[in-house]
Amino acid sequence: MTATTPRVLDVKEAIETRRSIRKYVQEPMNQDDLHEILRLASLAPSAWNAQTWRFAVVQDAAIKEQLQAAAYGQGQVTNAPAVIVVYSDMEDTLATVEETAHPGMGEAGREGQRKTFDGAFGGQDVAQRGQWGLSQANIAFGFVMLAARGLGYDTVPMLGFQPDKVKEILGLPEHVQFAGLLPVGKRAEDGFPHHRHSVERITKFY
């Protein structure tokens, strides 16, 4: 590790030091770090290896201003150097489902993957199967936050925005569903410390 290489946090430290940050140091994202955050997030698990998640990374100032307006004026959108929009595209997943079959399973695996998805989702409408796809993308959304924190960056998960306007701004298909918007950058403030229920308050042991 050189003097300029940021310290990588282990998983425990990344979880314990994660905060919802709304004010960021005004410097561009390191593009290698940004790519690594997305690579790590793409390793999230999904049922049948569906990988329904998709990422739209916004660093252009003008587009961030439009996103801020679609997010009811929340300032963290333009204050952060980048905003990662995590969404699910179940229709693209179904159209290209053979790509998600493990190469080690060969052609039989590709055919089996197609049969599995057609059987499970062929009788559902776009909205129904879209909800299933979103449940998978939500897992990746959490992975993005931890990957970012592990590399020394901070985020704030956002669900307060107008989905139709975000689709229009980013040119996304009508059928996609959003896990959330995620401003990302280096914190310029510490944010509030964690205030959580105890394990005993939220858990039943059997």
Side-chain angles (χ1 to χ4, degrees), residues 3 11 19 119-120 163:
V11 173
R19 300 287 188 272

Side-chain angles (χ1 to χ4, degrees), residues 60-161:
D60 180 88
I63 299 176
K64 284 195 294 182
E65 288 181 1
Q66 294 178 62
L67 285 180
Q68 180 176 338
Y72 308 105
Q74 296 181 75
Q76 61 264 33
V77 176
T78 53
N79 190 262
V83 178
I84 301 173
V85 182
V86 182
Y87 64 97
S88 172
D89 191 337
M90 191 62 179
E91 297 310 296
D92 181 54
T93 298
L94 291 175
T96 60
V97 70
E98 288 86 358
E99 295 177 6
T100 63
H102 195 283
M105 300 178 69
E107 187 59 31
R110 290 169 59 84
E111 293 175 358
Q113 192 81 330
R114 169 58 63 188
K115 183 177 180 181
T116 294
F117 277 75
D118 285 350
F121 303 108
Q124 295 183 358
D125 61 31
V126 172
Q128 284 179 309
R129 59 194 182 219
Q131 277 297 306
W132 186 89
L134 179 59
S135 72
Q136 309 303 303
N138 284 333
I139 301 172
F141 192 54
F143 268 57
V144 178
M145 285 186 275
L146 287 183
R149 185 67 200 125
L151 292 178
Y153 292 89
D154 296 284
T155 59
V156 55
M158 295 178 61
L159 296 176
F161 58 90

Side-chain angles (χ1 to χ4, degrees), residues 7-96:
R7 184 173 68 88
V8 177
L9 282 61
D10 63 29
V11 173
K12 181 176 184 293
E13 188 175 2
I15 292 172
E16 290 180 339
T17 63
R18 194 212 66 79
R19 300 287 188 272
S20 290
I21 300 298
R22 292 171 174 81
K23 292 184 179 179
Y24 298 87
V25 174
Q26 296 303 294
E27 63 182 22
M29 281 283 296
N30 179 295
Q31 296 302 293
D32 290 338
D33 289 348
L34 182 56
H35 190 277
E36 179 67 357
I37 289 168
L38 298 171
R39 186 191 71 83
L40 291 170
S42 74
L43 297 178
S46 57
W48 293 317
N49 199 36
Q51 304 171 67
T52 64
W53 49 75
R54 303 292 184 267
F55 307 121
V57 181
V58 180
Q59 299 178 87
D60 180 88
I63 299 176
K64 284 195 294 182
E65 288 181 1
Q66 294 178 62
L67 285 180
Q68 180 176 338
Y72 308 105
Q74 296 181 75
Q76 61 264 33
V77 176
T78 53
N79 190 262
V83 178
I84 301 173
V85 182
V86 182
Y87 64 97
S88 172
D89 191 337
M90 191 62 179
E91 297 310 296
D92 181 54
T93 298
L94 291 175
T96 60

